[in-house]
Every structure is written in structure tokens, then in C-alpha cells.
Amino acid sequence: MVQQVTPETPIEVIYPESDGQPMADNTEQFAWIVKIKENLEILFASSADVFIAGDLFWYPVQGSPNIKQAPDTLVVFGRPKGKRGSYLQWDEDNIPPQVVFEILSPGNTLKEMTKKLQFYQRYGVEEYYIYDPEKNDLNGLLRSVDSFEVIEEMNGWVSPRLGIRFQLTSDTLEIFSPSGQKFLSPVEIDQLREQERQAKEAALQELEKERDRYQGLLAKLKEKGIDTDNL
């Protein structure tokens, strides 16, 4: 009797898009994540092949859903913008995020941060920046072949990939775009937009007043019999 072998049905691998944990541990950490992510979005808005995300699971190995990290902000050059539930590297031309940011909170442990460093080093990150808002401490690591090297001086450092400059003041971190524009919070961006709107409105009002004064002057000259068309 010939026994027929039934092919096994492939088991579908699930790559979770959430771990049920909050994006940030406190308001300051969240504010920094939003500031960096959104200002990078603005900086690369016209670059269709730069993908930026915040707190998105990155899976570098197909078939291994336990191998993952969710950087506070990640930047991928060479991949299109668009919606994603997670970053499945094998579906992205196998391009890993080149730049990642982590914003520390009091809840971060040395073990946790060591695991993240090893993960980013192993799976191809080129630039890794860690900022601790509470201590106003910024650290950076830059890929050298297969490992990271510590960036010795972060004050004034310019990211090779992003072109942004980091500046540490006595109490905070300031980040500047290649054009010198300072990274602002959403509230600061809105305030700046409102100031620009008010300035434009004031300029238009002044222009309207000048036009009215000019028209009034022409009317007076015509009353005196002066041919204003040949002035």
C-alpha cells in the first residue's frame, strides 16, 4: 500500500505591531520624541525616499518575530514614505534604518540600553544618538566597519547622514537643520507661523495705506489741473 504524504501547511509568522507599552514614560520624553521626529519629517519633506518613524517596531530578520526593537525615532534613506504598522526589513529591500534616536527616561535600565546598543550595532545602524533630558547628556555612536565608535565631542557635532547639528547649552539640547533653522516644538512652530501671518498682514495693511495716500495725492493734483498721466 502506497502512503500519500500530505504537504504541511506553512505556519504564518505574526509580527506584532504593538507590545502594549506606552510610547514614553513621561511628558518630557514624549515631547523630545515628537520634536525630533516631526522636525526630521519637515527637514526631509521633499525627499520621497526618506522614511521616518517614531516608536515603530523594526524586524530585521524574517521568521524571527522576537528579534525586534522600536527606536524612539528611526530614519531610513532609500525607502519611500508611507504608512506602516511595523518596519519589516526584508520587505524594504533589506535596508536597515541608518539613524536611530533614543530619549532616556528614569525607567531605562543599563541592561535595556546595552541590549539596544548591541541590536543596533548588529543590524546595521550607522548613527545612534542617546539623549537624557533630565541630565542634559547627549551621547552618539558612529559605525566603523562592524562596530560602533563613541563620538568623543557631541557639542557641535554634525550628523553625516542627516546634516543636523547638535548644540548643548547649560540646560538643554538644541538641534539645527543644515540651513541653521532650530528644531522647534509643535507649539513653537505654530507660534512662529502666527507671527509670520501677523507680520504679513501688517505689511499688507501698510501697503494698502500707501496706496490710499498715493491715490489721494493724485486726486489733489488733478483738482489743481495737473496732468498726472504724464508725471
Side-chain angles (χ1 to χ4, degrees):
M1 180 178 179
V2 178
Q3 183 179 4
Q4 292 185 340
V5 178
T6 304
E8 294 183 3
T9 303
I11 299 174
E12 182 183 4
V13 179
I14 304 298
Y15 302 92
E17 297 179 357
S18 173
D19 58 3
Q21 299 298 314
M23 179 177 175
D25 292 339
N26 55 55
T27 56
E28 187 171 25
Q29 184 189 27
F30 181 79
W32 272 104
I33 294 171
V34 171
K35 177 187 282 191
I36 291 173
K37 189 265 183 186
E38 292 304 315
N39 278 270
L40 289 175
E41 291 275 20
I42 294 170
L43 179 60
F44 292 101
S46 62
S47 300
D49 62 345
V50 179
F51 173 66
I52 300 165
D55 195 42
L56 185 74
F57 270 141
W58 161 27
Y59 293 93
V61 182
Q62 187 172 13
S64 300
N66 292 326
I67 301 176
K68 65 182 183 298
Q69 280 295 340
D72 288 334
T73 301
L74 62 80
V75 184
V76 190
F77 289 84
R79 296 307 301 156
K81 301 182 188 303
K83 296 180 180 180
R84 291 167 174 81
S86 59
Y87 190 81
L88 306 177
Q89 188 172 311
W90 55 93
D91 287 339
E92 306 281 358
D93 288 345
N94 206 35
I95 299 176
Q98 293 94 350
V99 185
V100 299
F101 291 82
E102 293 287 355
I103 307 300
L104 298 186
S105 72
N108 290 124
T109 64
L110 177 60
K111 180 180 179 180
E112 175 190 358
M113 298 312 297
T114 300
K115 286 178 64 177
K116 287 186 176 184
L117 188 152
Q118 293 172 339
F119 180 96
Y120 297 147
Q121 181 172 267
R122 179 174 183 178
Y123 292 108
V125 170
E126 297 175 12
E127 302 176 39
Y128 177 25
Y129 299 106
I130 311 109
Y131 180 57
D132 184 341
E134 185 176 345
K135 297 179 180 178
N136 190 29
D137 184 41
L138 175 67
N139 289 280
L141 298 106
L142 193 65
R143 177 165 294 278
S144 177
V145 190
D146 293 327
S147 62
F148 280 141
E149 288 189 0
V150 174
I151 301 169
E152 296 296 338
E153 181 54 69
M154 282 303 302
N155 198 16
W157 172 260
V158 176
S159 161
R161 273 284 188 177
L162 306 176
I164 62 176
R165 177 171 57 87
F166 300 94
Q167 196 70 46
L168 283 164
T169 68
S170 59
D171 57 357
T172 192
L173 169 65
E174 294 181 342
I175 306 175
F176 298 88
S177 72
S179 66
Q181 176 66 49
K182 182 180 174 182
F183 277 26
L184 301 173
S185 69
V187 171
E188 291 170 330
I189 291 173
D190 184 68
Q191 290 173 339
L192 181 61
R193 186 184 296 115
E194 178 62 19
Q195 290 171 5
E196 291 174 347
R197 186 194 66 78
Q198 291 178 359
K200 182 178 180 180
E201 186 176 286
L204 289 173
Q205 290 176 351
E206 186 61 32
L207 184 63
E208 185 70 17
K209 290 179 182 179
E210 287 297 324
R211 188 185 68 81
D212 291 343
R213 282 195 288 266
Y214 177 70
Q215 293 296 333
L217 177 60
L218 289 180
K220 289 180 179 179
L221 291 174
K222 286 181 179 180
E223 289 175 359
K224 294 181 179 181
I226 299 174
D227 184 4
T228 58
D229 293 333
N230 295 317
L231 289 177

